[in-house]
Amino acid sequence: MGVVSVPGMSLEKGVLRRRGLIAVAVVVVVILVIWLVDSLWPKNQFTLTLRSPNVAAGIIDGAPVKLNGLQVGKVSDVKSLGHGVQGVVLTMNPDQVKGITNSVEAAFSAGNLFGVSEVELIPHGGGDALRNGEEITPQLPITDNTVSNIITTLGDVNNDAIRPHMSEIMNNVDLSTSAMLPLITALGTVAQSVQDTQRLSTSQTFPVIARVLGGADQTVSSLLPALSNDFEFQPVHDQAWVANAIGTEDAISNHTDSLSARLEQILNPSSVKGLSQATPVLVDTLTPLLTYFPNAGALGIKIGQLLDNIRSGMPNTPNGPVLNVNLSIDYPAVGAMLPPVTFQVVPHGTPAGPNPGGSRPSPARSRAWAGHRWPSPPILPPRPRAAARRARPRPRRQGTEHR
């Protein structure tokens, strides 16, 4: 179809060509200006590259990046960094990632039920602040929690664990079901017997059971305050008692200076070996002693009674325990030569009574010390036989005198 010329509006072909070229040039210039502005204009974005040996399926350009569940950016590039290391470039809003450090943890996760993959960032305390354009290797390996990895894992489990042992699993299920059949049969028999012997209908027994349960509820409700009072008993929560218990346990069981530690030091292998060698000797030594003292138990009881009597004869005084002694001499001649003396026996380690100057204490002070004064015996004339014996000269021995 040819060009139809309209009177008054006809243009030459050269004019039309020039106008078309000018329009195309204007469109190209506009597009170029827009591209230059978008490229050269400063962008408010934060770039971070994650180094990982593997990249999950679905982590491509445009995959969302989330921080604590909130989308803060997207994946702008996935590239190889060499030596088997892949780099995932994340472009994020800097206002939303303030305070993030190089201790951040990363994971490839499934963003929704349809399996769209995303990069999940989990911040942790510590570390240094990240810089724009920095490349980091997370301290923990990047985990792959995408749907594709889950399906792959299930396939591996099926191929390696379930399928090779499916016949054995089915056999075990069959054996277990067969073993449960007698129990199921017994339960059915019991239910049938209950139905055959039941005299009261369920509508009559259930209200009784409900009343019993209601009474049990009231009983428990009344017991709870008593249990609460027992729990709130103050001595049970006494921190001093708890501290003493902890200290006692520590004194028994710590590994430095406790009783168990001392026993471990004493009962070392050499001591145990020496004890095993000395035990037969001790048995051989103690066997005759047990034969010679068949009533050793009764003898021990008597010794204990003697010690109790000695303790009861030592009253406690301001100067310590004192042993009261009452000594009587039946020889008049010896008694006549002894002056009245009162003494006290003080156990070792207690202070002695007041005795200034080292002189003998007076009878009154001696009585205050719980001592007893010796009675002075009467002076009797010597017996004649004894006087004659003293007057008789002694015969001298013949021979060598020994001194």
Side-chain angles (χ1 to χ4, degrees):
M1 180 177 181
V3 178
V4 178
S5 299
V6 178
M9 298 183 64
S10 299
L11 296 176
E12 297 180 357
K13 293 182 179 179
V15 175
L16 293 176
R17 188 179 300 110
R18 284 196 305 271
R19 291 180 179 180
L21 293 175
I22 292 172
V24 172
V26 170
V27 171
V28 171
V29 169
V30 170
I31 294 175
L32 181 61
V33 169
I34 294 174
W35 178 80
L36 290 175
V37 170
D38 183 69
S39 301
L40 300 178
W41 192 267
K43 297 180 181 179
N44 186 23
Q45 63 184 15
F46 183 86
T47 304
L48 175 67
T49 302
L50 296 177
R51 299 168 59 91
S52 174
N54 298 308
V55 177
I59 303 299
I60 56 177
D61 295 350
V65 178
K66 292 185 178 181
L67 177 66
N68 293 330
L70 179 65
Q71 183 171 351
V72 295
K74 61 181 181 179
V75 176
S76 58
D77 190 13
V78 178
K79 58 185 179 179
S80 176
L81 301 179
H83 305 287
V85 179
Q86 310 299 324
V88 180
V89 181
L90 310 179
T91 302
M92 299 173 289
N93 187 346
D95 297 332
Q96 294 179 320
V97 293
K98 287 183 179 180
I100 190 172
T101 63
N102 56 5
S103 62
V104 65
E105 179 183 352
F108 300 137
S109 304
N112 50 35
L113 296 177
F114 299 101
V116 177
S117 300
E118 65 182 14
V119 179
E120 181 73 21
L121 299 179
I122 305 172
H124 292 284
D128 301 328
L130 292 175
R131 298 184 300 272
N132 187 18
E134 185 176 359
E135 293 184 2
I136 65 169
T137 301
Q139 297 179 358
L140 297 177
I142 300 178
T143 57
D144 187 357
N145 302 323
T146 58
V147 174
S148 60
N149 185 58
I150 294 174
I151 295 174
T152 304
T153 303
L154 291 176
D156 295 339
V157 171
N158 179 48
N159 294 331
D160 299 336
I162 297 178
R163 183 174 296 178
H165 306 284
M166 181 58 67
S167 60
E168 184 178 356
I169 293 173
M170 297 301 295
N171 187 27
N172 292 334
V173 171
D174 180 63
L175 293 176
S176 301
T177 306
S178 301
M180 292 293 292
L181 285 178
L183 178 60
I184 297 174
T185 304
L187 292 177
T189 304
V190 170
Q192 184 66 35
S193 301
V194 170
Q195 183 180 3
D196 295 340
T197 58
Q198 186 177 10
R199 296 293 181 266
L200 298 176
S201 62
T202 306
S203 61
Q204 295 176 343
T205 57
F206 268 22
V208 176
I209 296 174
R211 287 195 297 270
V212 172
L213 294 178
D217 181 43
Q218 296 177 359
T219 303
V220 172
S221 300
S222 61
L223 287 176
L224 286 178
L227 295 176
S228 178
N229 292 334
D230 293 338
F231 179 76
E232 295 175 356
F233 187 55
Q234 187 60 32
V236 177
H237 302 278
D238 188 4
Q239 296 298 325
W241 179 83
V242 175
N244 293 335
I246 294 175
T248 303
E249 181 183 359
D250 182 71
I252 294 175
S253 60
N254 70 60
H255 299 286
T256 56
D257 56 353
S258 65
L259 176 61
S260 59
R262 299 301 183 188
L263 289 177
E264 290 179 1
Q265 294 176 2
I266 294 173
L267 298 177
N268 51 38
S270 60
S271 300
V272 173
K273 183 178 180 180
L275 183 61
S276 63
Q277 296 176 355
T279 300
V281 179
L282 293 175
V283 171
D284 296 339
T285 304
L286 294 177
T287 301
L289 294 177
L290 294 176
T291 306
Y292 296 149
F293 298 98
N295 297 326
L299 180 60
I301 294 174
K302 292 181 180 180
I303 293 175
Q305 293 176 353
L306 176 60
L307 294 176
D308 292 338
N309 294 335
I310 292 175
R311 293 191 189 96
S312 63
M314 298 177 65
N316 193 11
T317 66
N319 297 322
V322 176
L323 176 63
N324 295 331
V325 179
N326 189 1
L327 181 62
S328 176
I329 299 178
D330 295 334
Y331 295 94
V334 178
M337 294 184 294
L338 294 176
V341 176
T342 302
F343 67 93
Q344 62 180 357
V345 178
V346 181
H348 179 71
T350 58
N355 189 10
S359 60
R360 181 174 60 85
S362 63
R365 186 177 298 174
S366 300
R367 293 190 189 95
W369 294 349
H372 294 276
R373 184 176 180 179
W374 293 357
S376 300
I379 300 176
L380 300 178
R383 297 180 183 178
R385 183 177 302 175
R389 186 181 298 112
R390 287 195 298 270
R392 185 182 305 167
R394 295 182 180 179
R396 298 184 63 182
R397 295 184 179 180
Q398 300 295 329
T400 306
E401 181 178 0
H402 297 276
R403 294 183 180 179

